[in-house]
Amino acid sequence: MSTAETSRFVRLRVELVLEVEDEAAVMEAARRRIAEDEELGTLERERTEEAVTEDTAEALAYLTDPLVLVSEVPGVELQQASWSSEHIEYDPDSPYWELDEDDVGGDDEEGDGGGGLNRRERPGFPG
């Protein structure tokens, strides 16, 4: 593709650190969403329920949908999405957690930005 053809594609990277104050509420919300998902088959539903019940990070990954973030942005169409969630050690006072120039506008052509253990890809989008 030429530069003119590829310039219309933009990779948006977002990293969030969440504090889970009520694991049971997160897991219950994930189980409710699974129960409402008519596209899940029986085996997939059982495996997903097990995963979100055993791991809050999995429950958060299941509840997170990048399509929601961009669905109301005029003039864009989501082409591909992947995201991950993992438990981390977090110290907000540590210099490690400060944004640096790589976080603000760096181009990382080699990775997909996800380093998490529990990767979930939006059905229908290649990852």
Side-chain angles (χ1 to χ4, degrees):
M1 281 189 213
S2 71
T3 303
E5 291 173 330
T6 60
S7 64
R8 70 175 191 240
F9 295 96
V10 175
R11 182 186 309 248
L12 175 67
R13 296 182 194 273
V14 178
E15 182 171 335
L16 305 170
V17 176
L18 305 173
E19 180 178 2
V20 177
E21 296 178 348
D22 187 345
E23 287 187 6
V26 172
M27 290 178 179
E28 180 57 33
R31 286 192 297 267
R32 269 195 314 275
R33 171 117 11 120
I34 292 165
E36 296 169 357
D37 191 340
E38 297 174 2
E39 295 182 19
L40 286 177
T42 304
L43 183 58
E44 185 179 8
R45 182 179 311 278
E46 290 172 1
R47 288 181 179 166
T48 305
E49 282 181 10
E50 183 179 336
V52 303
T53 301
E54 293 177 0
D55 187 353
T56 310
E58 280 286 348
L60 281 169
Y62 190 81
L63 291 167
T64 303
D65 188 346
L67 181 59
V68 173
L69 294 174
V70 296
S71 64
E72 295 186 23
V73 177
V76 300
E77 181 179 339
L78 182 63
Q79 296 296 307
Q80 178 178 337
S82 66
W83 58 104
S84 62
S85 180
E86 63 183 324
H87 292 276
I88 61 168
E89 295 297 321
Y90 177 66
D91 177 3
D93 297 325
S94 168
Y96 175 78
W97 290 102
E98 292 180 10
L99 291 178
D100 59 29
E101 60 192 48
D102 290 338
D103 295 326
V104 175
D107 287 332
D108 177 13
E109 294 294 327
E110 295 185 17
D112 67 356
L117 302 174
N118 305 310
R119 182 179 173 138
R120 177 177 177 242
E121 297 189 4
R122 178 129 178 101
F125 292 100

